[in-house]
Amino acid sequence: MNYKHFAKLVILSTLALIIGVIESLIPPILPFLPFVRIGLANIIIIYTLLILGSKEAYAIAAIKSIFTGLIIGNPIMILYSLPSSAVSLTCIILLFKINKNSLCAISCVGAVVHNLMQLLVAAIMAGTFLVLSYAPYFILIGSIAGYVVGILALILAKRLPI
Amino acid sequence: MNTSKFNYTKQGYFKKADLFIYALLILAVVVSLFFLPKGKGAYAEVYSDGKLYGVYDLNTDIELKIEGEEGYNIVVIADKKVWVKEANCPGQDCVRHKAISKVNQTIVCTPNRLIVIIKGKGDIDAYTGGGL
C-alpha cells in the first residue's frame, strides 16, 4: 500500500464518519419512525467500493460503524450497524461481480438487506419477533434510500474520481 | 490511479435485470404488509431487563417510572395509547416514537432494555405461558 492510497483511505473514512455523525444529529425525517435515516454515509462506502475496491470498502464500513456509535455516545448502535453493514456490503459486492444489474438496483438491495439485518438484531435484542411488524416500512424506505445513495455514489465516482 | 477491479465508468443507471429486483422489492413490501399491526389493543405489557414488569389496562390512565439496570424510562398510558415521555438513554428513539395503541405494536428502548408491547383482549392470558 503506497502513501497515496493510504491518504485516500484516511480522507474517505473521515468523510464517512463526519457524514454519519451529522446525520445522527439532524432530527428524524419521519417523526413516527425515529430511527429511519437515509444513510448518506453509505455514499462514501459505495464510492470507495467503486474507486478503491472491496477490501477498502469493508474497512471504511467498519470504521464508520464503530466510530459513529462511539462519537455520538450510543455504543449499542454498533451492534446494529456493524453486522448489517458487513452483510449488506457482501451482497452488494456479489451482485456487482455477477454484473447483471445497475448500481442503483444493487444499492437498493444492499439497503433493504441492511435494514432487515438491523430488524433481526432488534428482534434478537428485544427477544420478540413482534418488531418484524416494521418490515414493510423498512423495505420501502430502504429501497428509496438505497436508490438515492446508489445514484449519488455513481455520479460522484464518474465526476470526481480521486 | 484506480485500484478497483470494478469497471463503473460504463455503468448506466438502469439495466433490464433491474426490473426483476424492483418487482421483488415491491412483492416484499406487499407480503410484509400482512405483518402490520391491526386491531385495537386492550393491554400494554411492559418488559424491563428481559423480565415482565407489569401488565396495564389501556383504559386506565397511568404514569410509570421504570428503573432498569441501565437507566430509567417514564411510560405514560392515556387516551388508550402508550408512549415514552422521558428516558435517560443516549438515542432517545423511544421518546420520539409515536404513541402506540394497536395489537402487537411495540416500543423498544435498546440501551435501557425496555420493551412495551400492546396486546389484544384475547391475548391477556398469553403472557402466563412465558411470552418472551
Side-chain angles (χ1 to χ4, degrees), chain B:
Chain B
M1 181 191 64
N2 185 353
T3 59
S4 167
K5 289 183 206 86
F6 302 114
N7 184 11
Y8 64 87
T9 45
K10 290 193 185 101
Q11 267 262 352
Y13 300 97
F14 180 77
K15 279 186 183 175
K16 248 188 198 165
D18 290 358
L19 286 176
F20 176 70
I21 285 185
Y22 296 137
L24 208 67
L25 289 174
I26 292 169
L27 187 74
V29 173
V30 173
V31 169
S32 61
L33 281 177
F34 290 104
F35 291 101
L36 271 187
K38 40 190 172 277
K40 270 186 194 145
Y43 300 90
E45 286 182 6
V46 179
Y47 293 84
S48 176
D49 294 323
K51 281 175 289 223
L52 185 64
Y53 181 90
V55 182
Y56 302 92
D57 193 338
L58 291 188
N59 293 313
T60 320
D61 292 2
I62 193 172
E63 193 170 314
L64 306 152
K65 185 168 182 177
I66 295 139
E67 302 252 16
E69 282 163 27
E70 310 293 334
Y72 75 89
N73 297 69
I74 296 178
V75 176
V76 179
I77 300 178
D79 212 11
K80 291 183 183 173
K81 287 181 191 150
V82 188
W83 67 92
V84 178
K85 187 177 152 195
E86 195 187 318
N88 65 343
C89 59
Q92 296 287 307
D93 279 346
C94 56
V95 181
R96 288 196 206 103
H97 200 290
K98 66 166 180 180
I100 56 172
S101 60
K102 288 177 184 158
V103 175
N104 283 354
Q105 275 189 315
T106 52
I107 294 180
V108 179
C109 177
T110 333
N112 288 358
R113 298 186 65 211
L114 176 100
I115 308 162
V116 184
I117 303 172
I118 305 285
K119 294 274 164 154
K121 234 175 203 154
D123 303 328
I124 191 60
D125 48 9
Y127 67 88
T128 48
L132 284 184

Side-chain angles (χ1 to χ4, degrees), chain A residues 2 9 25 27 29-31 33 38-40 45 51 71 74 82 84 95 105 107 109 113 116 120-121 126 135 145 154:
Chain A
N2 60 33
L9 259 182
L25 292 177
I29 330 162
L30 304 167
L33 290 170
I38 299 179
L40 291 172
I45 296 173
I51 299 276
I71 289 172
N74 191 359
L82 202 54
S84 313
L95 282 171
S107 176
V109 174
V113 168
L116 292 180
L120 194 67
V121 175
L154 189 56

Side-chain angles (χ1 to χ4, degrees), chain A residues 23-24 26-39 115 118 134 137-142 145, chain B residues 93 96:
Chain A
E23 204 181 15
S24 72
I26 54 176
I29 330 162
L30 304 167
F32 57 98
L33 290 170
F35 30 72
V36 168
R37 289 187 185 95
I38 299 179
N115 284 0
Q118 290 194 316
Y134 289 115
Y137 302 112
F138 272 50
I139 298 171
L140 191 67
I141 295 164
Chain B
D93 279 346
R96 288 196 206 103

Side-chain angles (χ1 to χ4, degrees), chain A residues 47-129:
Chain A
Y47 176 80
T48 309
L49 177 68
L50 295 175
I51 299 276
L52 299 178
S54 33
K55 258 187 281 172
E56 288 81 355
Y58 275 118
I60 289 188
I63 289 170
K64 178 225 150 195
S65 295
I66 295 169
F67 288 99
T68 309
L70 289 180
I71 289 172
I72 65 171
N74 191 359
I76 290 184
M77 222 171 102
I78 302 170
L79 286 178
Y80 284 96
S81 182
L82 202 54
S84 313
S85 295
V87 174
S88 98
L89 192 52
T90 308
C91 288
I92 289 174
I93 291 170
L94 278 177
L95 282 171
F96 222 92
K97 284 195 172 149
I98 294 169
N99 198 22
K100 282 267 189 285
N101 300 100
S102 75
L103 185 72
C104 301
I106 294 175
S107 176
C108 278
V109 174
V112 171
V113 168
H114 188 278
N115 284 0
L116 292 180
M117 269 300 289
Q118 290 194 316
L119 215 50
L120 194 67
V121 175
I124 292 167
M125 299 247 282
T128 166
F129 280 95

